[in-house]
Amino acid sequence: MAQFAGLQGVAFAQAAAPAEADDARPTDEIVVTAQKRVQSINDVGITITALSQKDLERKGIASLADVASAIPTLQYSLSQNNTPIFTMRGVGFYESSLASYPAVSVSLDEVPLPFPALTTLTAFDLERIEALKGPQGTLFGQNTTGGAINYVAAKPTDAFALGGNVTYGRFNRVDANGFVSGPITDTLQGRLAVHYQHMDPSQVSLSRGDKNGRVEEYAMRAILAWEPTETLHVTINANGWRDKSDPLASQFIGVGTPQQAGFVLPALATLPRPDSARDADWSADHKPFANNRLYQLSGRVDFDVTDAVTLTSITAYTNYKTRADTDQDGTAYQIADVSQFGTIRSISQELRIANGSRDKLRWVVGGNFSKDHVYDRISLLSGDMSFGRRFGPFGSGTYTEQRMKNYAAFGNVEYDIGSMFTIKGGMRYTKAKRTADSCTRGEDGGLFSAFIANTSLTLRRNVLGDAGATLIPIPDRTCWQLNDLFVPSLAPVRTTLSEDNVSWRIGADFKPTQGMLLYTTVSKGYKAGSIPRSGATFIKQNQPVRQESVMAYEAGFKATLFDRMLQLNGAAFWYDYKNKQLRNRIVDPIIGLLEILTNIPKSRIRGAELSATLRPVDGLNLSLSGAYTDGKITKFTGVNFAGKVADFSGTVMPLAPKWEGTASVEYTFPGDKLRPFVGADLSARSHTFSIIGGQNVFFGGEQSFKLRGYSLLDLRAGIGAADGAWTATVFGKNVFNTYRWSNATALYDNLVRYAGTPATYGVTVSFRM
């Protein structure tokens, strides 16, 4: 096997045929574009994990969860609205609003997918995946404080090629992928790739026995590569997908902090608790449902101004739409039954100029502009929630409509001092503007609006002592929010946020011998401020959170040893954070305890990574990797789950396991015509917590926000033609059916968890010609 997932900074060549790849040494690297130019991965002084095409196919890496399992220190979880969340080295951004930028950015062929919801169906027909760790703000922009993930699509070929694979597995899973590629004219090449997956439901209702979790997804990618002259290269990339899969239902684990004491539904105390990934529940008349779609059109132009200088333009338009129902309370009752509708429209343009990769002085300068428009609306049914049981079976809704513009100018330079030293530096200036119109409203024929109108009158009379206050009616489906004097404002709340920052990086590389790289970097990165969609009753609850910043220090090495038989890589890092954006709570005088997004004044993360790959004999590949991450909040005063002000200094950062490790082995038997192979992958992670202060929250005798540690074992065996024409593989993932959780949260009265995938198994047949 040419490359193993989970290796820090190691990737192997994607050869013309598997026979050649199986004979490769660990240091036959694939190239990466971590610094906006093509380079060998072992020459880049950045911690990078690169997964090759063969990795993705042999290991069956297709989903976001699969990608995270293969990359040390990368965590994948779901928000309550099934929005994907990436956390790398303890740096992430847990927010379910469509309009929130991430802390780990994702792109396809350097074209940004600026919001997490856009990343769902990207991992098909890929040449490789590059995961860059640590702040990448200089060349990849803000919102990369945790790192950057770049999907590299397989490109058109200069000769006709056809291939594909079909998988059949547990839950009647059918996964089909195919591509056709080749020349269209002497100067034009094309590639068309398609993806389809269907799977029967995997979750079973604890109260009724009906099922949820059906997978139904379609995707297509078309790429045209035009080279009319030797100096002009044009690539057009059209992507589209539709996902009609059922959102995963949450698992009810107990009653947490009721919003209105004494009115919690008594039946909740007797509900059965889940004990496997398949257990869940939802309202019979509000079954999870989704119909999401995306299309993206991008164009890249590379023009060789001279033999040594290239001008590059990358233009993209992305359009996304979601319509989904989620049952977020994990029960058959109407406590947090949510319907969501949203749209995203994004335009981006990058223009840069750079010289050649072999020059002693290498430089790139450029500019970037993006414009995003996001509409995000939520409707909530909560008749069985304690608040609804006390005051009435209300229906409510919130929405936010946000417009963002980002301008940036950047530059990066590397200079070789002799044959052993390279110094490097870069800087990016970013100006960000955001405007949000936010609204809370009743959606139940006027009951909730009338309740708020009467409550605001009571507050003005009893709290402010305004005996002459009069009722201000609020019509149904009319926006309202209260000011500090409890007076309803009957219009959307306009919030603006304008910020700028300067990201930078300096560093040095030292190559004392052939095959040895020592590197160190110091960098400053930023994540843009946010205006989340929230169920606010007061105008002040819509206030934005400021941009966060990180000062990062890192040192590492990449060593090729023993005649290229062993590749050893390691890095140590320290991050100092200011204003980290995390979720905490407030006590709303009407609703009760609510989650909000807030800035954590100070926090820090430290850690180290180490990986080794060994090929002692032809056909046998071994790898080990380990990572240590220690993240803590050093200064923050907030609200705990008892609704009391508390000091959170010293608490651990959420979604950041302290220990992680992977082990991989694969052996390909020699053969002139057929080559059998067997392989195994083991990944392990220690426990973590889903919220700040989670280690101090106990309900029902357990730490309810603790995501316990786990180990996963994947196995595979197969046989293929020596020339790579076909392969047949039998596989099992999570073969011991380990029950694990990717997230835990409080939804009004309820505490819920989201479970990871249960054991799956099947057979895959692939071919190429």
Side-chain angles (χ1 to χ4, degrees):
M1 184 174 180
Q3 176 203 355
F4 290 88
L7 304 184
Q8 174 190 325
V10 182
F12 305 107
Q14 177 194 334
E20 297 177 20
D22 289 335
D23 293 335
R25 288 292 186 181
T27 50
D28 294 333
E29 305 96 346
I30 62 174
V31 296
V32 293
T33 54
Q35 300 188 93
K36 300 288 187 179
R37 62 174 73 243
V38 175
Q39 294 175 284
S40 167
I41 193 171
N42 279 349
D43 290 336
V44 181
I46 299 175
T47 306
I48 306 171
T49 296
L51 308 177
S52 72
Q53 184 181 68
K54 192 172 182 182
D55 248 347
L56 304 175
E57 293 179 353
R58 279 278 179 96
K59 296 172 181 287
I61 296 173
S63 68
L64 298 180
D66 291 337
V67 172
S69 294
I71 298 176
T73 74
L74 180 63
Q75 312 293 322
Y76 167 76
S77 55
L78 287 174
S79 76
Q80 59 265 37
N81 289 326
N82 269 247
T83 306
I85 301 165
F86 276 136
T87 303
M88 190 180 289
R89 287 181 169 177
V91 182
F93 183 54
Y94 175 38
E95 175 56 44
S96 61
S97 304
L98 285 181
S100 294
Y101 291 126
V104 179
S105 73
V106 179
S107 59
L108 174 66
D109 287 342
E110 300 184 36
V111 174
L113 297 167
F115 302 98
L118 309 180
T119 66
T120 303
L121 287 177
T122 307
F124 71 98
D125 195 44
L126 298 177
E127 178 181 318
R128 65 184 181 274
I129 299 175
E130 303 170 2
L132 286 60
K133 302 183 181 182
Q136 305 297 324
T138 305
L139 291 176
F140 287 86
Q142 62 179 6
N143 310 322
T144 58
T145 46
I149 299 172
N150 187 30
Y151 292 91
V152 181
K155 300 302 187 294
T157 53
D158 55 9
F160 177 79
L162 177 69
N165 59 72
V166 177
T167 297
Y168 180 78
R170 189 184 185 193
F171 306 117
N172 286 320
R173 173 191 170 191
V174 176
D175 190 345
N177 299 272
F179 76 90
V180 58
S181 177
I184 300 173
T185 70
D186 291 342
T187 60
L188 182 66
Q189 300 170 354
R191 186 182 187 100
L192 178 66
V194 295
H195 162 79
Y196 167 74
Q197 184 174 169
H198 167 84
M199 191 173 75
D200 290 345
S202 58
Q203 291 187 312
V204 181
S205 166
L206 288 170
S207 62
R208 300 178 306 276
D210 53 324
K211 296 183 177 181
N212 175 65
R214 178 183 63 95
V215 174
E216 195 77 24
E217 54 189 42
Y218 314 81
M220 182 178 70
R221 180 180 299 126
I223 301 178
L224 292 175
W226 183 45
E227 190 173 341
T229 69
E230 292 184 355
T231 59
L232 180 62
H233 312 268
V234 180
T235 303
I236 303 297
N237 191 330
N239 294 278
W241 54 258
R242 182 177 291 274
D243 187 1
K244 302 180 73 172
S245 306
D246 298 338
L248 288 180
S250 60
Q251 298 184 324
F252 173 78
I253 57 174
V255 176
T257 52
Q259 306 299 293
Q260 306 290 334
F263 290 87
V264 176
L265 191 69
L268 296 180
T270 62
L271 290 181
R273 300 298 189 264
D275 59 11
S276 80
R278 302 194 63 188
D279 294 337
D281 219 342
W282 53 90
S283 302
D285 57 354
H286 193 84
K287 184 181 181 298
F289 148 86
N291 187 359
N292 305 327
R293 64 106 177 110
L294 172 143
Y295 64 85
Q296 182 185 71
L297 183 66
S298 66
R300 174 172 178 150
V301 179
D302 293 286
F303 177 65
D304 296 333
V305 181
T306 69
D307 290 342
V309 177
T310 300
L311 177 68
T312 299
S313 172
I314 302 176
T315 308
Y317 173 74
T318 306
N319 188 294
Y320 170 83
K321 184 176 182 179
T322 180
R323 169 67 180 91
D325 289 347
T326 54
D327 192 310
Q328 300 179 6
D329 55 70
T331 74
Y333 299 101
Q334 191 186 80
I335 295 174
D337 294 359
V338 173
S339 297
Q340 182 178 27
F341 172 81
T343 59
I344 298 173
R345 294 194 297 274
S346 178
I347 298 172
S348 65
Q349 171 65 54
E350 179 167 300
L351 188 66
R352 66 177 187 257
I353 188 168
N355 71 337
S357 296
R358 297 184 179 180
D359 293 343
K360 185 175 182 179
L361 175 65
R362 298 173 296 279
W363 52 265
V364 56
V365 293
N368 183 279
F369 169 75
S370 66
K371 181 179 179 181
D372 304 315
H373 180 196
V374 181
Y375 179 81
D376 186 9
R377 188 183 79 216
I378 291 288
S379 296
L380 171 67
L381 296 175
S382 52
D384 293 323
M385 186 176 72
S386 58
F387 179 85
R389 286 169 54 80
R390 180 178 182 182
F391 297 110
F394 301 134
S396 61
T398 62
Y399 79 75
T400 181
E401 184 171 10
Q402 303 195 25
R403 292 173 173 83
M404 295 82 88
K405 290 183 179 180
N406 301 283
Y407 309 82
F410 61 88
N412 195 72
V413 63
E414 302 172 64
Y415 181 69
D416 295 333
I417 303 176
S419 60
M420 293 191 298
F421 287 95
T422 300
I423 57 174
K424 52 193 178 181
M427 185 176 294
R428 174 183 290 250
Y429 171 77
T430 301
K431 176 68 175 179
K433 298 180 179 180
R434 179 188 292 248
T435 301
D437 291 320
S438 302
C439 171
T440 302
R441 67 184 191 182
E443 297 181 349
D444 55 9
L447 295 177
F448 190 45
S449 298
F451 167 76
I452 293 296
N454 287 309
T455 301
S456 70
L457 176 61
T458 300
L459 290 171
R460 276 177 282 147
R461 288 176 173 174
N462 296 342
V463 176
L464 299 181
D466 185 2
T470 59
L471 181 70
I472 301 176
I474 303 176
D476 188 40
R477 296 185 178 272
T478 295
C479 291
W480 58 264
Q481 283 179 350
L482 306 182
N483 63 20
D484 290 342
L485 299 178
F486 308 117
V487 176
S489 173
L490 304 184
V493 175
R494 171 66 61 92
T495 308
T496 60
L497 183 64
S498 181
E499 298 177 309
D500 62 355
N501 58 69
V502 177
S503 300
W504 54 267
R505 180 200 296 265
I506 57 174
D509 296 344
F510 176 50
K511 298 180 180 178
T513 62
Q514 182 69 26
M516 174 69 73
L517 170 66
L518 307 176
Y519 63 91
T520 182
T521 61
V522 179
S523 59
K524 184 73 174 286
Y526 291 84
K527 183 199 170 298
S530 299
I531 305 175
R533 171 194 39 75
S534 62
T537 56
F538 288 83
I539 293 174
K540 61 184 177 183
Q541 294 172 6
N542 285 300
Q543 295 308 303
V545 291
R546 303 189 304 276
Q547 62 186 359
E548 64 184 54
S549 67
V550 58
M551 181 71 78
Y553 308 87
E554 181 166 350
F557 67 89
K558 301 179 181 182
T560 306
L561 306 171
F562 307 124
D563 192 26
R564 301 188 302 159
M565 185 177 294
L566 172 66
Q567 181 72 39
L568 190 64
N569 301 285
F573 56 90
W574 182 290
Y575 300 159
D576 280 327
Y577 260 96
K578 291 184 179 179
N579 293 319
K580 186 77 185 76
Q581 299 172 23
L582 292 175
R583 298 191 72 83
N584 191 237
R585 290 154 294 277
I586 60 169
V587 179
D588 185 293
I590 298 177
I591 305 297
L593 203 62
L594 293 179
E595 279 196 339
I596 62 165
L597 193 63
T598 190
N599 288 113
I600 307 298
K602 292 184 179 181
S603 55
R604 63 103 178 120
I605 301 173
R606 62 188 180 188
E609 301 182 48
L610 182 67
S611 69
T613 64
L614 176 67
R615 182 168 180 150
V617 297
D618 287 345
L620 178 61
N621 291 276
L622 306 169
S623 71
L624 286 171
S625 68
Y628 168 79
T629 305
D630 178 29
K632 282 189 169 58
I633 293 170
T634 56
K635 181 181 180 181
F636 175 60
T637 300
V639 176
N640 62 22
F641 264 86
K644 306 296 183 182
V645 175
D647 184 0
F648 286 88
S649 300
T651 60
V652 299
M653 298 285 281
L655 301 176
K658 182 165 286 190
W659 296 100
E660 301 176 67
T662 64
S664 181
V665 58
E666 181 164 304
Y667 181 67
T668 301
F669 296 87
D672 295 333
K673 293 184 178 180
L674 298 176
R675 293 193 174 184
F677 60 88
V678 293
D681 300 292
L682 177 67
S683 62
R685 301 183 181 190
S686 64
H687 74 268
T688 184
F689 296 91
S690 61
I691 66 168
I692 57 175
Q695 67 269 40
N696 299 318
V697 181
F698 291 81
F699 294 111
E702 67 170 328
Q703 291 174 291
S704 300
F705 298 98
K706 180 179 180 179
L707 308 179
R708 63 190 182 191
Y710 62 86
S711 298
L712 300 180
L713 178 64
D714 298 345
L715 300 173
R716 61 187 176 279
I719 189 169
D723 63 359
W726 59 268
T727 304
T729 306
V730 177
F731 67 88
K733 289 189 173 186
N734 186 15
V735 294
F736 292 118
N737 199 29
T738 300
Y739 178 35
R740 66 197 190 281
W741 311 306
S742 68
N743 197 9
T745 188
L747 270 303
Y748 302 97
D749 299 342
N750 294 12
L751 297 171
V752 299
R753 291 177 179 143
Y754 291 85
T757 307
T760 58
Y761 41 80
V763 59
T764 298
V765 178
S766 62
F767 73 95
R768 294 187 185 266
M769 56 182 295

